[in-house]
Amino acid sequence: MLKRGLKIALVQLAVGPDKAKNIAEAVKQIHKAKKKGAQLVALPECFNSPYGTKYFNEYAEEVPSGETSKALSKAAAEAGICVVGGTMPERSGNKLYNTCTVWDGSGKLLARHRKMHLFDIDIPNKITFMESEVLSAGDELTTFEYQDIKIGVGVCYDLRFYESAHLMAKQGCSILIYPAAFNMTTGPRHWELLARARANDLQLWVALVSPARDENFSYVAWGHTTVVDPWGSVVQQLDEKPGVLIADIDLKVVEEVRSQIPIRSQRRTDIYDTIIKTK
């Protein structure tokens, strides 16, 4: 155990159409990560279902009463570690959300993040995708504390919006975790670039957790689960195949970067600022 940090495991799962099988594999990987010394394990976006607007309604369930939530809660409690439960399609009333749940070592629901920025893009002859046809957007930033470390959570497209990441850093986060499923068009261009940009600009650790690539699905994930340090350097990265990335998140590096390049105290908040709007 790091004195000033956390050992994390990022699980790049192979996700298929069988929901029960997806959940069982996630639980298996949580326990394997625990045996390797992980204190926190994170799963990818849509880990219990294929990613696509045609799947969300079929696979959706309520949080925390649904089968996926119950399985994650039980696994977190049995393993005694924090679980950032990727995302699942969440049903709430007549709305559907793309939701990340976070469970502490006792199985308690620590946080729930509903994807704030819906993935609506149109790149001619490449990819067109409209999450808003089916999903509703969340309207809250999400942070939580585990073992006295403040951690922020976003989902996939949220990564592109600097302001939300800046506000989580402003609230004291040393790590930002993004369950995400970039595709074969945006992944090669922007996956690593955005992770490094957020880490460098905000002087913190950034972890991106993708599902493994499956060429048989209509939406093909880029993979390449990645950890970037506060200097903006890629510390570890997987390829496109199923796998687990285990990394030591050293908070001394956060302190080191922030003291040597003190941009936080040098921001000209007399001229500009980034704020949370009250509802």
Side-chain angles (χ1 to χ4, degrees):
M1 183 183 298
L2 294 173
K3 290 183 178 179
R4 288 285 294 138
L6 202 64
K7 185 180 286 291
I8 68 170
L10 310 179
V11 183
Q12 188 161 287
L13 285 173
V15 179
D18 187 329
K19 186 178 183 180
K21 186 176 178 181
N22 293 333
I23 295 170
E25 181 61 23
V27 169
K28 175 183 173 183
Q29 293 298 334
I30 289 168
H31 287 288
K32 287 180 70 174
K34 167 66 174 183
K35 290 179 181 177
K36 293 179 180 179
Q39 298 158 278
L40 177 149
V41 59
L43 305 174
E45 182 176 24
C46 281
F47 81 93
N48 72 343
S49 73
Y51 181 69
T53 53
K54 64 182 179 181
Y55 300 108
F56 293 144
N57 184 61
E58 176 187 352
Y59 285 78
E61 58 185 73
E62 294 185 351
V63 173
S65 61
E67 60 183 307
T68 304
S69 290
K70 289 179 178 177
L72 292 179
S73 173
K74 182 180 179 183
E78 288 179 349
I81 59 176
C82 180
V83 173
V84 178
T87 77
M88 69 180 89
E90 178 198 2
R91 188 184 311 282
S92 180
N94 61 355
K95 291 184 177 182
L96 297 178
Y97 298 93
N98 190 354
T99 299
C100 176
T101 59
V102 181
W103 309 86
D104 71 11
S106 68
K108 175 187 174 185
L109 182 63
L110 262 184
R112 167 170 42 188
H113 178 73
R114 291 169 169 167
K115 188 173 186 176
M116 292 175 60
H117 304 92
L118 297 183
F119 185 56
D120 287 0
I121 68 164
D122 182 13
I123 303 175
N125 303 315
K126 295 287 187 179
I127 182 171
T128 298
F129 200 95
M130 297 289 166
E131 274 189 329
S132 64
E133 291 176 351
V134 178
L135 298 177
S136 296
D139 58 6
E140 291 183 353
L141 296 173
T142 304
T143 65
F144 66 95
E145 286 193 26
Y146 189 70
Q147 296 190 358
D148 297 322
I149 299 172
K150 194 78 171 283
I151 300 170
V153 176
V155 173
C156 200
Y157 204 49
D158 289 340
L159 176 64
R160 289 186 179 272
F161 297 87
Y162 168 82
E163 295 86 352
S164 60
H166 174 81
L167 287 167
M168 289 190 284
K170 200 173 177 180
Q171 291 175 5
C173 291
S174 300
I175 311 169
L176 300 182
I177 299 175
Y178 292 88
F182 275 38
N183 55 69
M184 298 299 291
T185 298
T186 61
R189 290 172 172 82
H190 300 147
W191 177 260
E192 183 179 311
L193 172 68
L194 286 166
R196 295 184 67 190
R198 296 295 160 265
N200 179 72
D201 289 347
L202 300 170
Q203 301 176 316
L204 40 63
W205 290 86
V206 172
L208 308 185
V209 198
S210 172
R213 189 180 305 172
D214 189 334
E215 303 282 356
N216 295 316
F217 282 126
S218 57
Y219 185 95
V220 182
W222 172 239
H224 291 82
T225 289
T226 299
V227 171
V228 180
D229 73 14
W231 287 107
S233 300
V234 175
V235 175
Q236 290 188 59
Q237 186 175 83
L238 300 180
D239 56 18
E240 77 282 2
K241 297 182 287 294
V244 179
L245 185 161
I246 295 182
D248 289 329
I249 302 301
D250 189 347
L251 296 190
K252 292 198 299 290
V253 181
V254 177
E255 297 163 359
E256 173 186 276
V257 174
R258 291 179 181 179
S259 64
Q260 293 178 18
I261 308 176
I263 57 175
R264 290 168 169 248
S265 61
Q266 295 168 338
R267 292 184 76 241
R268 290 295 305 277
T269 53
D270 57 321
I271 299 173
Y272 57 81
D273 204 358
T274 306
I275 61 169
I276 295 179
K277 296 188 70 172
T278 56
K279 297 177 185 177

